Amino acid sequence: MTGPAVVVTGGTRGIGLGLARELLARDARVAICGRSREPVDKAVAGLGGGAIGVVCDMADRAQVQALWDAAAEAFGRVDHWVNNAGVSTARRPLAELPPEQLEAVVSANLLGVMHGSAVAVRGMAAQGGGTVWNMGGARQRRPNRPRPDRLRRDQAGRRLPDLRPGQGGRGRAGEGRAPVARHGRHRSARPGLLPRGAG
């Protein structure tokens, strides 16, 4: 394979593994990571040629640097870095969640992205270019989502703007909407390294 070199963090399962598989199908070379050796080895075996796997805790800057170094050594450079790794808590009220679960989420979902971005941007600046992509998401099911028609008056009974899509507070279509971004990206250097339509 001679396509771009891509690091997908947390690529041992779910969206990350699917992304790695699709990238390989498009002639990319892919490095994935996970916190334990067994799932990393299993994922790499399933992906086949063109993929490498590294054990890495994204909350540890030294391990993240080792992930970059392994990918750069295997592929010669890293063209794209995808911050995909993340964890979630049990589906319980916040007040009932143990502190260690909250700390794990912050470590993986915040520090992990910051460490990954910092390592990737530094490495890409040194090699002359590359892109950093940050994956995010929103729950598809919102059983407790407030209904806009029940929120049109405040506690004093005063009418509030209608925030439904297409219903602006001042009468203009679309005004007041707050769309949820499903994913984002930071271009740290030269653009155009991904196929048209990606992202």
Side-chain angles (χ1 to χ4, degrees):
M1 293 183 176
T2 58
V6 186
V7 172
V8 180
T9 69
T12 60
R13 59 189 175 89
I15 293 174
L17 181 58
L19 180 58
R21 186 177 293 115
E22 291 300 317
L23 287 166
L24 287 165
R26 288 159 174 77
D27 202 37
R29 297 162 293 162
V30 179
I32 64 170
C33 74
R35 289 179 293 175
S36 302
R37 171 57 60 188
E38 184 177 353
V40 169
D41 289 346
K42 181 179 178 181
V44 170
L47 290 170
I52 66 169
V54 178
V55 175
C56 175
D57 181 350
M58 293 297 296
D60 185 321
R61 176 69 70 90
Q63 293 187 40
V64 177
Q65 184 64 57
L67 171 61
W68 170 277
D69 293 341
E73 181 178 356
F75 306 139
R77 60 178 287 122
V78 176
D79 296 298
H80 309 290
W81 180 284
V82 182
N83 284 314
N84 169 76
V87 299
S88 60
T89 64
R91 292 177 178 249
R92 295 164 56 188
L94 176 63
E96 298 178 9
L97 291 172
E100 55 268 22
Q101 280 197 28
L102 301 178
E103 291 165 5
V105 168
V106 171
S107 292
N109 300 2
L110 178 59
L111 290 178
V113 171
M114 296 174 76
H115 288 323
S117 298
V119 166
V121 168
R122 183 169 58 237
M124 288 171 181
Q127 72 183 12
T131 59
V132 175
W133 299 71
N134 293 321
M135 302 292 290
R139 285 179 12 188
Q140 295 299 311
R141 296 180 180 179
R142 300 187 182 91
N144 298 319
R145 184 178 182 181
R147 287 178 49 185
D149 58 340
R150 293 180 180 174
L151 298 175
R152 293 182 190 164
R153 296 185 182 278
D154 63 14
Q155 292 181 346
R158 292 172 296 203
R159 186 174 177 83
L160 298 174
D162 191 338
L163 300 182
R164 288 175 295 177
Q167 300 294 324
R170 285 176 288 181
R172 292 204 297 248
E175 192 172 330
R177 286 187 291 175
V180 177
R182 298 298 175 87
H183 64 275
R185 68 185 178 194
H186 295 296
R187 290 183 177 246
S188 62
R190 56 192 173 110
L193 291 173
L194 284 181
R196 288 181 179 272

